[in-house]
Amino acid sequence: MRKIIVTLAVCLLAFAAFELRAQSQDLPTLTSAQYASMKKDDVYVIMFSFKGCPPCSLAKSKNQLIPALAAKYASDPQVHVYVFPVDEDTPAPDGTRLDKRLGVERYPTFVVLSNDTDHLSDSAPLSGYSSGMRADLEKKISEAVSKVK
């Protein structure tokens, strides 16, 4: 009986992970090479993520932070919301990586960039995510976007 319960639990976890991944697939992604050629005076809301990071998957899943921000700013041509999968990054032509340049060491990390400056965090990048953090993070990100515009 115990083996059946463990097997069912593993199957449910695998299904949940598959669902989270499927729900986040239509979010725009960004690489260092792409960012290097973009207009710098626009506003970029970026979540740095890593494959296999449960908080990253949660933040990208349906009805969570990144899809909500993407919907909120969809009609604003100066604000762009991206997921930056660091494990799939293509460095800029000069070899630099955006995550390294910004000091990203934990995942997920959120930044609001304009003119190559992070307007979201004062000293260190803003990292971590849980459902309980969503409202506070969304407020901080929205305030940073408003301040820049």
Side-chain angles (χ1 to χ4, degrees):
M1 182 64 147
R2 186 176 181 179
K3 287 183 180 181
I4 292 172
I5 292 172
V6 169
T7 302
L8 285 173
V10 168
C11 289
L12 286 173
L13 287 172
F15 179 75
F18 174 78
E19 280 296 304
L20 286 174
R21 204 170 21 257
Q23 292 171 352
S24 65
Q25 295 209 353
D26 44 356
L27 294 170
T29 59
L30 182 67
T31 66
S32 296
Q34 291 167 327
Y35 180 77
S37 65
M38 296 173 119
K39 188 177 172 185
K40 299 301 185 253
D41 57 347
D42 278 359
V43 180
Y44 299 93
V45 177
I46 303 170
M47 181 187 86
F48 291 89
S49 68
F50 196 81
K51 188 183 247 179
C53 163
C56 300
S57 295
L58 179 61
K60 295 184 288 186
S61 67
K62 187 176 180 182
N63 299 321
Q64 287 295 326
L65 181 64
I66 297 302
L69 290 169
K72 178 177 182 172
Y73 295 114
S75 63
D76 189 332
Q78 291 183 311
V79 180
H80 314 278
V81 179
Y82 288 105
V83 173
F84 190 107
V86 296
D87 49 326
E88 299 170 11
D89 187 27
T90 303
D94 64 1
T96 60
R97 291 181 45 153
L98 186 60
D99 59 323
K100 299 301 181 200
R101 190 165 54 84
L102 294 173
V104 174
E105 295 177 354
R106 295 178 51 213
Y107 306 100
T109 292
F110 303 91
V111 298
V112 175
L113 293 179
S114 181
N115 293 314
D116 280 336
T117 301
D118 181 5
H119 296 276
L120 182 59
S121 56
D122 295 326
S123 56
L126 186 60
S127 300
Y129 185 77
S130 69
S131 294
M133 297 171 67
R134 178 184 168 187
D136 186 46
L137 277 171
E138 192 168 353
K139 180 181 176 191
K140 287 179 181 178
I141 290 169
S142 295
E143 287 172 353
V145 169
S146 294
K147 181 176 73 172
V148 174
K149 289 188 72 182

